Amino acid sequence: MKQKTSDISTVVVINKNQQPTRSLQIKTKHLNNLKHYALGALSVVLVLVASIIYLRWRNQQQEVEKQALMAQIVKLKGAIPAQVAAPAEAKQGSAQSYIQAIEGKLKTINDYLRRRGLKGFSTKGIGGDNNIEGKKLNDGEVYSLYNDYLNHLMGTIAFTPMGYPRISSFTSFFGYRSDPFDSASAEFHPGIDFKGKRGDEVKCTASGKVVFAGWAGGYGNCIRIQHINDIQTVYGHLSKIKVKVGQEVNLGDEIGLVGSTGHSTGAHLHYEVRRHGKAVNPVNFLTLNK
């Protein structure tokens, strides 16, 4: 169909060098929409500029967080106890004296565990006198026994609550305190509270099995995990539970989110360690230095 004359606009191009003029015929609707095209292009440019600015800001934030974490790591390294010096015989380079030095360090680890109310590990007959049940052991056999011992030790540590369910400061400690809902009376607080915001992740402090996951009165949304040596960890006031009863969880798994459910005055994580059903001070399980 032939277009109407009004549908076509003529654009005259004038050359300053006195060259012949040229004319272009363009549909009038394109000229009318020219400002819309310009606004669209400008919007794309603005979005790209904003994205670049945001990404640069995020990179700066991540760098600041990285520096803060590095500072915390340096601080934590400073809190690690000094290594036990190897006996003088180890300097002679003999395999047996080297094994004895390892045994000394393992005994120190045992001492830290016992101070935290945990069962230690027997090293009787391993290294040291270089014999077991009256049999003389060669270096290879001693190494094999130590290897089994260390594997057992690593497994036990993985299943024993240690460390923080979330890295933050404390807002309340274990023991008697003023009732946050009635300052005139006192109550026994069976755990410690970690500062947090609603939605912050909560991680389990040891591998184990979930034995409870649901509403538990004043605890609100609550999780209880069973570990070895009849030890349980309890996580309360959660905004969301991410595990189910019967589920096996591993050390460091995210099991829920911080909240303020139940008997709570604000968002935080309530954390307990129970041994043989009795609440014990979780602070003793935060670090091997205790």
Side-chain angles (χ1 to χ4, degrees):
M1 184 177 78
K2 186 176 181 181
Q3 293 180 327
K4 297 179 180 180
T5 305
S6 60
D7 293 338
I8 303 296
S9 297
T10 301
V11 177
V12 178
V13 181
I14 301 175
N15 196 306
K16 291 182 178 181
N17 296 327
Q18 297 183 350
Q19 295 291 329
T21 59
R22 291 188 300 172
S23 62
L24 299 174
Q25 289 188 332
I26 302 175
K27 290 183 179 180
T28 303
K29 67 177 182 179
H30 291 324
L31 289 176
N32 294 335
N33 292 331
L34 187 60
K35 63 180 180 180
H36 298 297
Y37 300 151
L39 286 175
L42 180 61
S43 298
V44 172
V45 172
L46 290 176
V47 169
L48 291 175
V49 171
S51 298
I52 292 172
I53 293 174
Y54 173 75
L55 290 174
R56 290 187 63 182
W57 176 81
R58 280 297 302 160
N59 287 337
Q60 291 174 351
Q61 289 292 106
Q62 290 175 352
E63 184 63 25
V64 171
E65 293 174 0
K66 178 182 176 181
Q67 294 300 326
L69 288 173
M70 291 297 293
Q72 289 183 2
I73 291 172
V74 171
K75 185 177 179 180
L76 288 173
K77 284 183 177 179
I80 297 175
Q83 291 184 331
V84 178
E89 296 86 347
K91 296 180 181 180
Q92 300 175 3
S94 70
Q96 183 59 31
S97 60
Y98 177 73
I99 291 173
Q100 287 176 333
I102 294 176
E103 183 181 30
K105 292 181 176 67
L106 292 175
K107 287 181 178 178
T108 301
I109 293 175
N110 268 338
D111 182 52
Y112 289 143
L113 294 174
R114 292 191 182 97
R115 290 182 192 179
R116 296 164 70 239
L118 304 176
K119 184 179 179 181
F121 305 93
S122 174
T123 57
K124 184 178 180 181
I126 303 177
D129 57 2
N130 200 28
N131 68 82
I132 182 170
E133 297 180 354
K135 176 187 175 183
K136 192 73 173 179
L137 302 177
N138 59 41
D139 292 340
E141 291 172 324
V142 174
Y143 170 79
S144 178
L145 287 171
Y146 264 117
N147 189 54
D148 292 341
Y149 175 90
L150 290 170
N151 286 336
H152 177 64
L153 178 61
M154 288 187 296
T156 302
I157 289 177
F159 285 89
T160 300
M162 293 183 187
Y164 292 65
R166 60 169 280 97
I167 302 298
S168 69
S169 57
F170 305 144
T171 58
S172 186
F173 291 88
F174 179 87
Y176 285 96
R177 65 174 185 179
S178 296
D179 188 334
F181 290 91
D182 182 7
S183 58
S185 61
E187 67 167 1
F188 180 75
H189 189 234
I192 55 178
D193 292 340
F194 289 90
K195 183 178 180 180
K197 297 180 295 184
R198 178 182 173 83
D200 286 347
E201 65 177 0
V202 175
K203 296 182 178 182
C204 62
T205 54
S207 301
K209 183 177 182 179
V210 178
V211 294
F212 181 86
W215 188 267
Y219 287 89
N221 289 326
C222 177
I223 298 172
R224 284 192 288 116
I225 301 177
Q226 185 70 45
H227 311 285
I228 62 173
N229 296 329
D230 198 16
I231 294 177
Q232 281 190 1
T233 50
V234 182
Y235 311 78
H237 306 313
L238 304 175
S239 63
K240 185 175 182 180
I241 294 174
K242 292 192 171 185
V243 292
K244 298 179 181 179
V245 173
Q247 180 177 337
E248 298 287 343
V249 293
N250 295 316
L251 170 64
D253 284 352
E254 182 180 345
I255 58 174
L257 302 178
V258 171
S260 184
T261 54
H263 196 65
S264 171
T265 57
H268 69 282
L269 170 66
H270 175 82
Y271 175 66
E272 293 181 18
V273 176
R274 292 185 169 269
R275 195 158 186 243
H276 307 308
K278 182 179 179 181
V280 295
N281 194 344
V283 171
N284 294 331
F285 290 81
L286 296 180
T287 171
L288 282 175
N289 290 338
K290 293 294 180 181

